[in-house]
Amino acid sequence: MVRTERPVKREIKQKTRLVPVLPARDAVHFPALINTLQVVRERSRKALRRALDADRQVLVLSQRDMSVEEPGAHDLYRVGTLSEALQALPLPDTSLRVTLRGLRRARVLRMIVRGGAFMAEIVEVDEPLLIGDLRAETLMRACVDSFSSVVQLHKSVPPEALEAVAHLDEAGTLADTIAHHLPLRPAQKQELLEEADAIRRLELVFEALKREQEVLELDVRIRSQVEAQLGSAHREYFLREQMRAIQAELQDREQASEVQDYEDRIRECGMSRAAAQRALAEVARLDRIPPFSPEGAVSRNWLDCLIALPWKASSEEHLDVADAALQLDEEHFGLGTVKERVLDFLAVRQLTQAIRGPILCFAGPPGVGKTSIGRSIAEAMGRNFCRISLGGLRDEAEIRGHRRTYVGAMPGRIIQAIRQAGTRNPVVMLDEIDKLGSDWRGDPTSALLEALDPEQNARFEDHYLDAPFDLSGVMFIATANVAELIPAALRDRLEIIQFPGYSDEERMQIATRFLVPKSAGEHGILDRIEFQPEAIESLVKDYTRESGVRDLERKIAGVCRKAAWAMVEGSATRVCIDEGQLRTSLGRPKHWRGPSAAVDEIGAVTGLMVAEYGGEIVRLEASLMKPQAERPELRLTGRLGDVMKESAEAALTFVRTSEEKLGCGRPFRFDVHIHVPDAGVPKDGPSAGLTIAVALVSAYTGKPTRQDVAMTGEITLRGRVLPVGGVREKLLAAARGGMRAVILPEANRADLEDVAMGELGDLKLYFVSEVDEALSIALKSEAAALAWI
């Protein structure tokens, strides 16, 4: 008797190397075989180009879930085939058709992304040759015989495959070649690829061959029985009977059919009756579509999206207003009025448990905490939170979804957000709602009306879903920088909560309590850096001028980076930030603590305005010139809006009708040029009327204006001063700009209730009802000589 010994399986080689990774979908590649792939995804094309530029070797890894469009590292198996790219042909649609030859198995140790492509550190799996092993030879013969029977019965396996298998004398290669041609699921082929033992692989292949042979023989018997009973005129009936017969034979198997699986999932997900009927009709249609038809992929994607929605999953609300108040105070400094409005809203929710309620809209300059307040509301209510950015959105389909007839169709952003949240009652923040646009693709603002209307959103229909979804449990919170820019129809559905800008004192407190610890922790120097109070004050007043704290946070992060660099170099173990160190880290101060004008000027007045980013100081200039035509001309520059232009005309009319009272002794017949610097920024609104009138009177009378006095107010043709908005923001801007006094309309005196006088420092306030009162405050008594008149 000849004694044969089975070789002992050797361990994986320890030598590793880094190779590009080519993810494969719906396919498993085996060593010693040549395959052709069409590479479409950008990340795969980059990996292939890296391989072609190097040694032409690439690791082919199969996806775990074939429905994933852009797989990550966790979506790929860890064992694949190291292959050589024999040929790569670019196609007109930017894809590549590549021919690969499998070399050997490889196992991934770790995976990284480099240059936009997956790279894997691998070890090659050593497969010993089985020479003289009687068990291997027996299994090889049995596999070849069974494969021959399968080739004869299965029309999709080419006869050439049998010829290729018959000449193989190596056990592992034979098993791989047969597995490549067998109609197995990708997961089964992957199991064979991961099996490094050739004997065990042959056993698994033989089991798969016998199972496939039984199925094919049963198929032949069923066809014979059905064809014997039916004629050619009943071919359609025959096909259906054949399908039922096959399902009857396979119903005891563990794996249910795809159609049955979809039907079970539809019944279990709890979707509405209308949606379930629509989904079951689509499943019945899918049952008649060929497996590899593009229409089948569209139907599967639609069904998967519909089933994945949280039709009955809800967060259990546990609202406590007292806890919410503590949370708001801990996470947000200041904003007292805003917190009161929010707590009022939450108190009503706690008492009534009402599903419907007002839709809040947080309006205010950037960086004052609108988004973070919304997140805190979600946490206080025990709901999931998701955010939808609407800035610059112009396509209606982004809100209501695309019709399934379009290539690449997908649900709208609202349905996507709810799917991401995983519950049917999340808090959805509609960010930057005032920046929605519209063009030939539709009006997204109009598409939001149904979603935000409590009377309609219980049956919101996304174009992609084509089935109603209940949005009545969703709590929508919108944010905007300028509430006036929100379209009227949409603004009517919102309850506006105005977020004021922060004062310098508030920003210093926020920096000390929140921003410095947060930034120091993020940079790993929490216990090794200290900011002096004068450094915080300088950061707020000399390096930033804003209503929010975003720029302040960036400046603090810049200081922390410099400190971390010094610590890494070893030049310091602990850093104390004072004004000198601040200048070293950030350079010279960007702002000056005082009026922008050094001297009092004729025709130049300091005005106050509210812009998108909060209150601002503007320097308005007016010049009078000899008329160049019979009719005097009014020229306005500085990107002024229509309302501001009308204010300038009203101010000019007031000055012309008051020329006798002004006592200059000459008629007001001049060309007038009014300019507001910083011409790149649009400006509009009626509150510049008083400023323009004072500038014109100063230019007309030759009396300089006080450069440290700012003003705001709308005027009438008779010289009355009317109230304006944004008083708090304007006063804070005046305080930040070093103004000593501000002139306000008398009717705005009540607005001081919203302003803490400590925020204004030594700023003096004057309230006027007539333009003459403002002139007596803003103009100096002596007049300069006007030589050109």
Side-chain angles (χ1 to χ4, degrees):
M1 177 182 294
V2 180
R3 181 180 179 185
T4 61
E5 295 183 356
R6 181 176 175 182
V8 179
K9 180 180 178 182
R10 287 182 288 177
E11 296 294 326
I12 298 176
K13 293 180 180 180
Q14 295 303 313
K15 184 177 179 180
T16 64
R17 59 192 178 113
L18 201 64
V19 296
V21 174
L22 186 63
R25 233 172 130 180
D26 292 325
V28 177
H29 289 214
F30 290 92
L33 293 167
I34 295 178
N35 295 278
T36 300
L37 279 178
Q38 186 170 356
V39 181
V40 178
R41 293 181 285 211
E42 179 63 22
R43 181 168 286 179
S44 301
R45 294 202 301 269
K46 290 182 178 179
L48 184 59
R49 291 192 186 101
R50 292 180 71 97
L52 293 173
D53 293 339
D55 57 359
R56 305 183 73 87
Q57 291 190 2
V58 63
L59 179 66
V60 181
L61 291 178
S62 296
Q63 292 183 207
R64 299 178 185 272
D65 185 0
M66 303 306 171
S67 64
V68 177
E69 292 292 338
E70 293 293 338
H74 60 281
D75 295 318
L76 303 177
Y77 288 102
R78 292 299 175 180
V79 176
T81 301
L82 185 64
S83 304
E84 179 184 9
L86 300 179
Q87 184 184 29
L89 178 65
L91 299 179
D93 60 351
T94 71
S95 63
L96 295 173
R97 181 176 295 166
V98 59
T99 302
L100 300 173
R101 179 176 63 193
L103 300 177
R104 59 193 68 88
R105 286 170 169 78
R107 187 178 303 278
V108 177
L109 299 181
R110 67 186 181 95
M111 193 174 296
I112 61 175
V113 176
R114 179 177 296 173
F118 281 127
M119 302 291 292
E121 183 181 358
I122 65 168
V123 291
E124 298 177 6
V125 179
D126 189 12
E127 298 183 55
L129 296 175
L130 300 177
I131 301 176
D133 192 316
L134 293 180
R135 178 169 177 78
E137 293 180 2
T138 303
L139 283 171
M140 290 173 65
R141 293 180 182 179
C143 287
V144 172
D145 292 340
S146 295
F147 186 67
S148 176
S149 301
V150 170
V151 170
Q152 294 175 5
L153 294 172
H154 207 299
K155 296 181 180 180
S156 65
V157 181
E160 295 81 7
L162 182 59
E163 297 178 6
V165 167
H167 299 290
L168 296 177
D169 56 358
E170 204 282 313
T173 305
L174 177 67
D176 291 343
T177 305
I178 294 176
H180 170 74
H181 290 290
L182 273 180
L184 302 176
R185 297 193 308 275
Q188 293 175 299
K189 290 189 176 183
Q190 180 66 30
E191 182 182 0
L192 294 172
L193 181 65
E194 294 180 358
E195 182 55 62
D197 188 344
I199 296 293
R200 177 57 183 159
R201 195 154 71 245
L202 278 172
E203 293 175 350
L204 295 175
V205 169
F206 183 70
E207 293 176 3
L209 284 167
K210 297 303 291 183
R211 185 166 56 250
E212 187 66 20
Q213 188 176 354
E214 291 177 3
V215 172
L216 293 173
E217 290 174 352
L218 179 60
D219 180 73
V220 171
R221 290 200 302 269
I222 293 173
R223 285 177 179 273
S224 300
Q225 293 174 4
V226 176
E227 287 177 354
Q229 298 175 3
L230 303 174
S232 58
H234 300 87
R235 179 168 181 79
E236 183 179 355
Y237 179 73
F238 154 73
L239 292 174
R240 295 189 181 278
E241 287 298 319
Q242 183 185 34
M243 185 180 298
R244 292 174 184 171
I246 294 173
Q247 291 176 347
E249 288 289 341
L250 298 179
Q251 64 181 356
D252 294 333
R253 295 179 180 268
E254 295 181 0
Q255 185 177 4
S257 66
E258 181 185 38
V259 171
Q260 185 63 44
D261 178 57
Y262 272 124
E263 291 176 349
D264 293 341
R265 291 166 61 191
I266 289 170
R267 294 186 181 95
E268 292 171 0
C269 72
M271 67 177 63
S272 64
R273 182 176 179 181
Q277 291 176 349
R278 183 73 184 84
L280 292 174
E282 188 68 21
V283 170
R285 178 175 174 270
L286 179 64
D287 195 18
R288 299 189 297 270
I289 298 176
F292 301 104
S293 171
E295 293 185 27
V298 173
S299 294
R300 291 183 185 91
N301 291 337
W302 181 80
L303 287 169
D304 291 337
C305 177
L306 198 67
I307 294 172
L309 289 175
W311 295 94
K312 60 180 180 180
S314 300
S315 299
E316 184 177 353
E317 193 168 304
H318 47 80
L319 179 59
D320 189 301
V321 174
D323 292 341
L326 291 176
Q327 182 174 349
L328 290 175
D329 289 336
E330 290 176 359
E331 297 180 359
H332 305 85
F333 182 82
L335 301 176
T337 304
V338 173
K339 292 177 183 177
E340 289 180 7
R341 295 282 299 276
V342 171
L343 292 175
D344 291 344
F345 168 78
L346 295 180
V348 175
R349 300 276 302 195
Q350 181 177 342
L351 289 176
T352 63
Q353 299 295 322
I355 296 179
R356 298 178 180 179
I359 298 172
L360 304 180
C361 178
F362 299 154
V368 295
K370 300 187 294 294
T371 303
S372 58
I373 285 281
R375 194 182 301 274
S376 298
I377 291 175
E379 294 176 1
M381 299 178 70
R383 295 190 181 192
N384 294 340
F385 177 84
C386 51
R387 173 180 169 272
I388 301 175
S389 178
L390 301 179
L393 204 66
R394 293 180 176 273
D395 191 354
E396 178 187 357
E398 292 288 343
I399 302 296
R400 298 187 65 94
H402 303 77
R403 301 285 183 186
R404 280 196 295 154
T405 53
Y406 294 101
V407 177
M410 63 181 64
R413 295 199 181 187
I414 294 178
I415 294 297
Q416 290 184 40
I418 293 174
R419 181 179 178 182
Q420 176 187 357
T423 58
R424 59 188 299 269
N425 62 337
V427 174
V428 177
M429 174 152 284
L430 304 173
D431 220 359
E432 309 290 355
I433 198 171
D434 59 328
K435 295 179 176 60
L436 282 170
S438 61
D439 57 16
W440 57 270
R441 290 169 291 186
D443 185 4
T445 302
S446 301
L448 279 174
L449 296 179
E450 180 185 356
L452 299 183
D453 190 348
E455 301 297 331
Q456 303 180 47
N457 62 10
R459 292 184 58 83
F460 176 76
E461 287 201 12
D462 185 277
H463 288 161
Y464 181 79
L465 295 184
D466 198 19
F469 187 85
D470 186 3
L471 296 181
S472 60
V474 179
M475 179 179 177
F476 290 101
I477 299 177
T479 70
N481 294 132
V482 182
E484 289 74 14
L485 297 181
I486 304 174
L490 187 57
R491 188 167 64 244
D492 183 60
R493 288 165 168 78
L494 305 175
E495 181 175 340
I496 307 295
I497 297 180
Q498 196 68 40
F499 274 58
Y502 291 118
S503 65
D504 287 349
E505 181 62 32
E506 287 177 332
R507 293 201 296 144
M508 286 189 284
Q509 292 290 338
I510 292 172
T512 303
R513 298 185 186 183
F514 301 100
L515 301 184
V516 169
K518 175 187 175 183
S519 186
E522 291 175 349
H523 291 81
I525 54 174
L526 181 59
D527 299 325
R528 303 169 66 184
I529 189 171
E530 178 183 356
F531 281 75
Q532 295 294 333
E534 60 269 17
I536 297 292
E537 182 179 2
S538 181
L539 271 173
V540 169
K541 296 183 177 181
D542 298 335
Y543 288 89
T544 61
R545 280 194 180 171
E546 55 176 345
S547 296
V549 293
R550 285 183 183 166
D551 193 29
L552 178 60
E553 186 174 8
R554 284 192 291 266
K555 293 294 189 294
I556 293 174
V559 174
C560 290
R561 284 193 296 271
K562 293 290 186 181
W565 187 10
M567 294 176 189
V568 169
E569 286 185 331
S571 59
T573 57
R574 181 179 178 83
V575 177
C576 182
I577 305 298
D578 54 17
E579 288 192 81
Q581 185 66 32
L582 202 63
R583 190 179 183 91
T584 302
S585 300
L586 300 179
R588 62 180 180 81
K590 304 297 187 295
H591 304 284
W592 180 52
R593 301 189 198 180
S596 58
V599 296
D600 299 336
E601 297 181 74
I602 297 174
V605 183
T606 303
L608 298 173
M609 63 177 290
V610 177
E612 184 177 356
Y613 299 99
E616 290 186 8
I617 292 178
V618 293
R619 192 72 173 170
L620 188 144
E621 300 173 347
S623 294
L624 305 183
M625 300 163 288
K626 292 182 179 180
Q628 300 298 316
E630 183 176 346
R631 183 176 181 180
E633 179 186 6
L634 171 62
R635 187 178 181 189
L636 304 169
T637 56
R639 290 193 70 181
L640 309 185
D642 292 338
V643 177
M644 195 167 180
K645 291 178 181 179
E646 292 177 355
S647 297
E649 293 175 356
L652 180 59
T653 300
F654 163 75
V655 176
R656 281 178 173 168
T657 56
S658 304
E659 58 183 28
E660 293 184 5
K661 184 169 56 175
L662 294 175
C664 289
R666 59 186 181 273
F668 192 97
R669 289 188 57 81
F670 309 105
D671 286 346
V672 178
H673 187 176
I674 297 174
H675 177 66
V676 183
D678 199 3
V681 179
K683 310 164 191 72
D684 202 4
S687 61
L690 178 61
T691 309
I692 296 173
V694 173
L696 289 173
V697 172
S698 172
Y700 179 48
T701 61
K703 296 180 180 179
T705 59
R706 302 183 187 277
Q707 53 88 24
D708 55 358
V709 176
M711 63 193 70
T712 181
E714 181 181 359
I715 66 169
T716 67
L717 299 179
R718 303 294 186 270
R720 293 184 55 204
V721 181
L722 303 181
V724 293
V727 171
R728 183 178 186 273
E729 285 74 16
K730 293 176 180 178
L731 290 177
L732 292 179
R736 285 197 300 266
M739 296 291 108
R740 292 188 176 89
V742 173
I743 301 175
L744 295 170
E746 178 65 35
N748 284 118
R749 187 184 292 270
D751 293 331
L752 291 184
E753 297 177 1
D754 300 330
V755 183
M757 299 310 294
E759 299 175 343
L760 305 181
D762 297 330
L763 192 65
K764 191 172 182 179
L765 305 181
Y766 294 96
F767 294 93
V768 298
S769 301
E770 302 287 340
V771 176
D772 294 342
E773 301 175 40
L775 294 174
S776 63
I777 300 170
L779 297 183
K780 290 189 172 182
S781 58
E782 67 278 4
L786 300 178
W788 55 268
I789 297 182

